[in-house]
Amino acid sequence: MHENKEINALFHLLDDPDQEVFDTVASKILLYGKDIIPNLENLWENTIDESIQERIELLIHRVHYQDLQAALRAWSLSDMQDLMEGAILAARYQFPDLIPGQIMAEIDRIKRNIWLELNNYLTPLEKINVLNSMIYNYFGLKGEEVSYQRKNQFFINQVIESKKGNPVTNGIIYQSLCTMLDLPVYAVNIPRQFILAYFDTFIDFGEPIDPEDQRILFFIDPIQGQIYTQQDVDTYLKRVSVPSVPSYFKPQSNKRIIQFLLEELAKCFRDDKDAYRHDELTNLSLLLEE
């Protein structure tokens, strides 16, 4: 953006010790949106004072965050909330310049390889065995239980790059591939787990969903692709002393999955110095309230 007198005047006030003055200046700078970022980056490079640099970094972050809020609202209101697109938006919190093309190209490459091995004569279980072979053996995706110390496993770009995720991000990759391959696989609401289920029919999330209307053929743990039966899940619920209720087997919308991803990611920022990040991610998740 071409610098004008107002921008220069605002930049000169960034070192004002009065917090109220800085807040006013920051609010005016934010009104310029993303176009102001190159100017802020140039100012940072030509600033010696570390405290001013920190203020500039905070401003750049707030501009990116403001842009992400708008993008997430638009995704939430769109007719078709693509799951992978939602995960990429969540990753943009930490990587604002993330380019989706590389991620989508890798997902498409895996999809093509799976598609070549599928045919209409395979049973649902045989189709999932093909998926598991391609995702966990050919592509080499690994999974670990959720750890809030490993925040990189919540960012889909880093999971694709490192080939190591947690149940949530692995599940997003898995379900996205199933959607692309026309397989009725959706996340369900099992307590303390992120588990996928293969349904006997496709789900229309535009209509009210009654768990009694669909039948689950089997469950899939996205950490490694382990298959579970209804009896396995019932046994798990008994073991953790949780009564089995129909809502646990209700398919989750893409919006709810991304909301859960943001809620879990927020838990990675628990230190006092990161409290604002926890609050920002929580606020992003609230944008997706259904």
Side-chain angles (χ1 to χ4, degrees):
M1 177 181 284
H2 180 70
E3 288 197 16
N4 56 36
K5 288 183 179 178
E6 183 184 15
I7 292 174
N8 284 327
L10 290 169
F11 283 180
H12 280 301
L13 289 170
L14 283 177
D15 60 353
D16 195 297
D18 189 323
Q19 185 64 40
E20 192 172 327
V21 171
F22 173 72
D23 289 341
T24 302
V25 169
S27 297
K28 290 186 176 181
I29 289 175
L30 287 174
L31 293 174
Y32 285 95
K34 283 198 304 183
D35 292 341
I36 198 73
I37 288 177
N39 304 66
L40 287 167
E41 290 174 338
N42 182 59
L43 180 65
W44 186 93
E45 290 170 0
N46 291 285
T47 299
I48 299 173
D49 190 320
E50 288 187 5
S51 64
I52 307 303
Q53 285 185 327
E54 286 179 8
R55 282 186 164 186
I56 297 168
E57 288 167 8
L58 180 61
L59 275 172
I60 292 172
H61 172 76
R62 285 170 68 179
V63 172
H64 281 306
Y65 180 69
Q66 181 177 267
D67 184 60
L68 178 56
Q69 284 179 304
L72 201 61
R73 280 195 200 96
W75 177 83
S76 173
L77 295 171
S78 64
D79 292 335
M80 187 175 177
Q81 290 126 10
D82 181 82
L83 184 57
M84 186 56 64
E85 184 184 341
I88 290 169
L89 284 173
R92 271 179 50 189
Y93 178 78
Q94 188 83 356
F95 304 93
D97 299 319
L98 178 61
I99 299 171
Q102 293 175 321
I103 296 171
M104 296 311 301
E106 187 64 13
I107 294 296
D108 193 58
R109 184 175 72 86
I110 304 169
K111 184 214 75 171
R112 286 199 309 271
N113 280 279
I114 298 170
W115 180 79
L116 290 170
E117 299 294 327
L118 293 178
N119 64 66
N120 292 331
Y121 300 104
L122 297 176
T123 66
L125 190 55
E126 288 170 336
K127 290 176 181 178
I128 290 303
N129 284 335
V130 170
L131 248 83
N132 285 347
S133 177
M134 285 294 176
I135 294 173
Y136 301 105
N137 297 331
Y138 170 73
F139 177 63
L141 183 65
K142 301 289 188 291
E144 300 176 328
E145 293 292 346
V146 166
S147 168
Y148 302 118
Q149 281 70 51
R150 295 191 290 267
K151 65 174 73 73
N152 59 307
Q153 292 184 2
F154 287 95
F155 299 118
I156 203 72
N157 57 318
Q158 294 208 305
V159 173
I160 294 289
E161 185 179 328
S162 67
K163 300 185 179 182
K164 185 177 287 186
N166 58 36
V168 187
T169 42
N170 278 14
I172 287 170
I173 292 170
Y174 202 110
Q175 183 172 326
S176 295
L177 287 165
C178 287
T179 300
M180 296 166 79
L181 294 160
D182 293 324
L183 300 177
V185 172
Y186 306 95
V188 287
N189 198 27
I190 306 296
R192 306 178 207 172
Q193 300 290 331
F194 190 89
I195 292 287
L196 305 175
Y198 196 116
F199 285 78
D200 66 347
T201 184
F202 291 95
I203 309 297
D204 180 2
F205 287 98
E207 300 291 331
I209 296 172
D210 184 349
E212 304 288 346
D213 292 342
Q214 299 92 25
R215 187 167 65 92
I216 293 174
L217 304 185
F218 51 83
F219 300 86
I220 308 155
D221 183 345
I223 291 182
Q224 297 176 329
Q226 178 74 36
I227 306 296
Y228 294 115
T229 65
Q230 182 68 54
Q231 186 176 355
D232 292 329
V233 173
D234 290 341
T235 300
Y236 161 76
L237 291 173
K238 286 179 182 175
R239 193 173 74 245
V240 296
S241 302
V242 173
S244 179
V245 296
S247 62
Y248 293 161
F249 306 100
K250 179 181 176 181
Q252 303 295 291
S253 69
N254 290 349
K255 191 189 289 191
R256 175 58 196 139
I257 293 170
I258 298 305
Q259 184 180 45
F260 181 69
L261 172 64
L262 290 166
E263 289 168 352
E264 290 293 283
L265 177 57
K267 296 174 185 175
C268 297
F269 299 96
R270 290 178 167 175
D271 294 341
D272 289 343
K273 66 182 178 64
D274 291 328
Y276 76 97
R277 290 186 178 273
H278 179 278
D279 292 344
E280 286 178 342
L281 286 159
T282 300
N283 288 334
L284 287 176
S285 75
L286 292 174
L287 289 177
L288 303 180
E289 285 288 351
E290 295 187 329

